[in-house]
Amino acid sequence: MNVIRHRSQLRDFLSRVEGPRVLVPTMGALHDGHLALLAKAREVAGNQGTVVVSIFVNPMQFDSKTDLAAYPRNEEGDLAACNEADVDVVFIPVEGEMYEADCSVTVNEERLSAGLCGSTRPGHFDGVWTVVLKLFLLSNCDVAVFGEKDMQQLAIIRRMIRDLDISVKIVTHPTLREADGLAMSSRNARLNDQYRADAPRIYRALSEAAKKSSLEEILTHARIEIEASGLARIDYLQVVDAQNLEPLKSLDTAAILAVAVFYGDVRLIDHVLIPSC
Ligand code: AMP
């Protein structure tokens, strides 16, 4: 396995490989959800192809310095996990490597980013698209693998690929959950015992609410169940159109019930599909 820390070296290395280049962008602190993406990438790349994993806690997508500083990091464990997963290249840029000091061009998307996480984390998604596009270009990847957990991110990456004529194929993987239903996330490691014990209520509440027949009942049920213990604070709770992520007023199309919840300063996201009636 090759560990690369500079952009120019990544470009050089990947310009010399044969077969498909398959990229898995991550922010590290790898868990089983990430490992499922790595396995998928290996399958797609085959023996001839190259699996590239990027590990970069991207400052541009954090709206709070405290959140950035508190984000879990585990370089040693991540490298061991990547090695075990038969990854070919790990790109872990050194501090200050990814952006020029006077970087002034970023990618901006205004429609799909308007609601959900985009409305409560200003600037977050511009940071995501910018780094994802840079990683696409640096790796010259043919395929990139993303998790369905970050549903809004995935929708907008697809839109960026479409609107900017980027020739990268997207492969996705369903959300991996703990045995109690909590969506796996690097941020789960920051939950204290009380919050961790409470957090499975998020998915339970969403799953039960999604069976209700009206939009109002869905939102009311989910809100009551998530807030029942008094520990979770809802950042947003919305039913949106599964295609364009716009808020829905009635349930006449396939929809997504999406939530962001704070336990203390730890913010978790999750969503479920509501099939069209
Ligand atoms: P992150 O390191 O959180 O930026 O995530 C990197 C990639 O892993 C993204 O494509 C996420 O959607 C994906 N991912 C994170 N958590 C999970 C999960 N529980 N199941 C599947 N994919 C995940």
Side-chain angles (χ1 to χ4, degrees):
M1 187 175 78
N2 296 277
V3 178
I4 295 181
R5 295 184 186 271
H6 296 278
R7 287 183 282 170
S8 53
Q9 286 166 4
L10 182 69
R11 226 193 257 280
D12 282 359
F13 185 91
L14 291 177
S15 68
R16 284 184 270 113
V17 302
E18 290 180 359
R21 287 167 295 260
V22 183
L23 171 72
V24 186
T26 80
M27 295 208 296
L30 301 181
H31 51 66
D32 286 355
H34 295 113
L35 298 189
L37 268 52
L38 301 192
K40 188 85 201 166
R42 185 73 270 166
E43 186 190 314
V44 172
N47 289 336
Q48 305 302 315
T50 303
V51 174
V52 185
V53 176
S54 61
I55 297 179
F56 177 54
V57 183
N58 175 28
M60 199 187 269
Q61 71 189 66
F62 282 79
D63 42 331
S64 139
K65 283 208 168 103
T66 332
D67 192 25
L68 172 63
Y71 196 85
R73 288 160 171 90
N74 177 16
E75 183 173 316
E76 203 181 318
D78 289 349
L79 289 177
C82 287
N83 201 25
E84 179 81 6
D86 207 10
V87 166
D88 299 298
V89 178
V90 182
F91 176 52
I92 311 191
V94 291
E95 174 108 32
E97 169 70 18
M98 278 305 272
Y99 301 106
E100 303 301 324
D102 60 350
C103 159
S104 57
V105 178
T106 56
V107 183
N108 172 248
E109 194 284 336
E110 288 181 344
R111 252 185 210 196
L112 300 174
S113 319
L116 306 173
C117 292
S119 65
T120 60
R121 300 184 71 191
H124 164 67
F125 281 131
D126 288 356
V128 176
W129 323 138
T130 303
V131 81
V132 168
L133 180 58
K134 281 165 76 75
L135 291 167
F136 283 176
L137 294 169
L138 287 167
S139 65
N140 193 15
C141 60
D142 304 288
V143 180
V145 184
F146 291 93
E148 289 169 9
K149 170 166 177 281
D150 296 88
M151 161 277 289
Q152 188 178 16
Q153 171 176 300
L154 184 55
I156 309 174
I157 287 169
R158 289 188 197 282
R159 180 64 63 94
M160 175 172 82
I161 284 176
R162 187 197 77 176
D163 287 357
L164 298 183
D165 300 310
I166 299 169
S167 53
V168 172
K169 181 180 169 212
I170 297 298
V171 168
T172 64
H173 196 286
T175 302
L176 252 80
R177 298 182 178 279
E178 303 289 352
D180 57 16
L182 177 64
M184 289 180 185
S185 163
S186 306
R187 293 176 189 270
N188 293 351
R190 295 192 54 235
L191 296 170
N192 67 24
D193 290 350
Q194 194 187 21
Y195 289 153
R196 175 63 188 84
D198 194 67
R201 72 168 53 255
I202 302 171
Y203 181 57
R204 215 165 41 232
L206 295 183
S207 307
E208 284 165 13
K211 294 180 198 149
K212 306 279 174 200
S213 46
S214 77
L215 208 138
E216 199 175 39
E217 280 177 294
I218 290 174
L219 289 170
T220 307
H221 182 91
R223 182 169 291 277
I224 290 173
E225 289 301 315
I226 290 171
E227 290 178 334
S229 62
L231 294 172
R233 180 170 63 79
I234 293 176
D235 186 29
Y236 65 74
L237 174 69
Q238 269 190 359
V239 176
V240 294
D241 185 307
Q243 291 305 315
N244 60 23
L245 305 188
E246 284 179 9
L248 282 179
K249 294 212 166 58
S250 61
L251 279 183
D252 46 15
T253 181
I256 291 172
L257 172 60
V259 73
V261 164
F262 276 104
Y263 279 101
D265 65 348
V266 183
R267 186 174 178 279
L268 306 179
I269 57 169
D270 205 347
H271 71 278
V272 295
L273 296 179
I274 308 173
S276 57
C277 314

